[in-house]
Amino acid sequence: MQIDGTIVAPDEPASWDPNYARLWLHFSKLNGIIFQGNGVIDGSGSKWWVTIDSSTGVKVKGITVQNSQQMNFVITRCNSVRISDVIISSPGDSPNTDGIHITESTNVVLQDSKIGTGDDCVSIVNGSSNIKMKRIYCGPGHGISIGSLGKDNSTGIVTKVVLDTALLRETTNGLRIKTWQTAAVEISQIMYRNISGTSKSPKAMKFSCSDTVPCSNIVLTNVNLEGKDGTVETYCNSAQGFGYGIVHPSIDCLTSHDKDYTFTPDIIEVSEATSQEIVHAEL
């Protein structure tokens, strides 16, 4: 599907099929589909979603999605998806405008893309695994997030997520894992490596975990976060892990320092970074 012009949504979904009120562009049950071009999909500020659903072998390249009032671009129940060279743009003060929302999907690669929204640049939720992101620019927005998970005490499973080479600027958060219920979701085997930046919050790192199901096996190495207005600190609650190399601010509040633990995250092969400002980050 070649998109080279501008597709503009109607102002309101009222005239649309009431059974699919938010599905303006909905692609479902496809196998081996390519969306490409230099075109623009303009949500016109209305409550429209662009959704790819229950599909396999999907490629999206070069397209701009802008001005959605809700989630800009949704990948749901898909396998083998590659998104590259896309631009997602919504105002920084627009609520719930997740850039790319991934749910119940596996083997998704997102690369070389620029995302600015009023919510998470990328959100990855239940039933998703093997999600790889590289060379991502995020801002404005709420950062890059796994979750929220565990709403209404439900089971939420997300595994094998890697973010490699990203620049987050003017975001309200950096990298987040979000859960609803303190006893519903167990978080483990998380690595933060080669991350540097400036925090507006005095709590530059926050590991606020469940007393019932503590976070475990959190590893940090070569992390350096400075404060924009003064010193910064790390907050911990029921979090187990350790750091090595340079880690600032201190993570002495983590309850375990077992450096014999071995955890090797998935690694993405990437080309040489072209900017001194690009930050390498892995979860």
Side-chain angles (χ1 to χ4, degrees):
M1 177 172 287
Q2 185 78 18
I3 302 174
D4 285 325
T6 300
I7 304 174
V8 181
D11 291 335
E12 286 294 332
S15 58
W16 223 246
D17 185 338
N19 294 321
Y20 303 97
R22 291 188 175 181
L23 297 179
W24 169 42
L25 299 178
H26 181 211
F27 306 95
S28 182
K29 300 177 182 177
L30 302 175
N31 184 14
I33 179 74
I34 300 176
F35 301 89
Q36 64 182 17
N38 298 312
V40 176
I41 298 173
D42 192 327
S44 193
S46 294
K47 300 175 183 179
W48 296 112
W49 294 359
V50 177
T51 301
I52 299 176
D53 172 47
S54 304
S55 298
T56 301
V58 178
K59 293 183 179 180
V60 181
K61 184 174 183 179
I63 295 170
T64 297
V65 180
Q66 65 186 31
N67 294 330
S68 291
Q69 187 174 335
Q70 297 275 317
M71 294 178 183
N72 283 269
F73 194 47
V74 180
I75 303 293
T76 179
R77 293 184 291 271
C78 291
N79 178 48
S80 188
V81 178
R82 181 177 291 271
I83 302 170
S84 62
D85 302 300
V86 301
I87 297 174
I88 308 290
S89 178
S90 291
D93 59 355
S94 55
N96 301 317
T97 53
D98 287 25
I100 297 177
H101 182 73
I102 301 170
T103 175
E104 297 181 78
S105 296
T106 57
N107 302 315
V108 178
V109 175
L110 170 62
Q111 66 184 55
D112 300 311
S113 295
K114 184 176 181 179
I115 305 170
T117 71
D119 209 297
D120 294 326
C121 291
V122 181
S123 55
I124 303 164
V125 298
N126 186 35
S128 298
S129 66
N130 201 21
I131 313 298
K132 298 182 179 181
M133 299 169 280
K134 56 184 177 181
R135 295 190 294 268
I136 304 300
Y137 181 98
C138 169
H142 291 183
I144 295 175
S145 299
I146 296 174
S148 297
L149 303 174
K151 188 176 183 179
D152 299 324
N153 212 36
S154 62
T155 300
I157 301 175
V158 173
T159 62
K160 296 183 178 179
V161 176
V162 178
L163 171 63
D164 188 340
T165 314
L167 176 62
L168 287 75
R169 175 169 287 165
E170 298 300 325
T171 56
T172 58
N173 304 280
L175 310 175
R176 294 193 296 174
I177 301 173
K178 305 183 292 183
T179 66
W180 285 86
Q181 272 77 28
T182 56
V185 180
E186 179 182 5
I187 298 172
S188 66
Q189 293 192 335
I190 308 297
M191 175 175 279
Y192 300 97
R193 182 167 66 183
N194 299 338
I195 301 175
S196 62
T198 303
S199 172
K200 293 181 181 178
S201 169
K203 293 180 180 178
M205 293 189 286
K206 188 175 182 180
F207 303 101
S208 181
C209 304
S210 166
D211 292 330
T212 306
V213 188
C215 299
S216 62
N217 299 330
I218 298 173
V219 182
L220 298 93
T221 176
N222 298 333
V223 175
N224 184 21
L225 299 178
E226 301 291 345
K228 184 177 181 181
D229 301 305
T231 60
V232 290
E233 61 181 357
T234 301
Y235 171 82
C236 304
N237 182 74
S238 297
Q240 301 171 357
F242 64 90
Y244 61 96
I246 296 173
V247 179
H248 176 78
S250 168
I251 54 170
D252 288 343
C253 60
L254 291 178
T255 58
S256 168
H257 298 272
D258 183 8
K259 296 185 180 180
D260 293 331
Y261 170 75
T262 57
F263 163 46
T264 303
D266 293 338
I267 301 297
I268 302 177
E269 295 295 330
V270 294
S271 61
E272 190 79 16
T274 58
S275 171
Q276 294 280 333
E277 296 179 314
I278 285 182
V279 178
H280 297 270
E282 288 189 30
L283 285 80

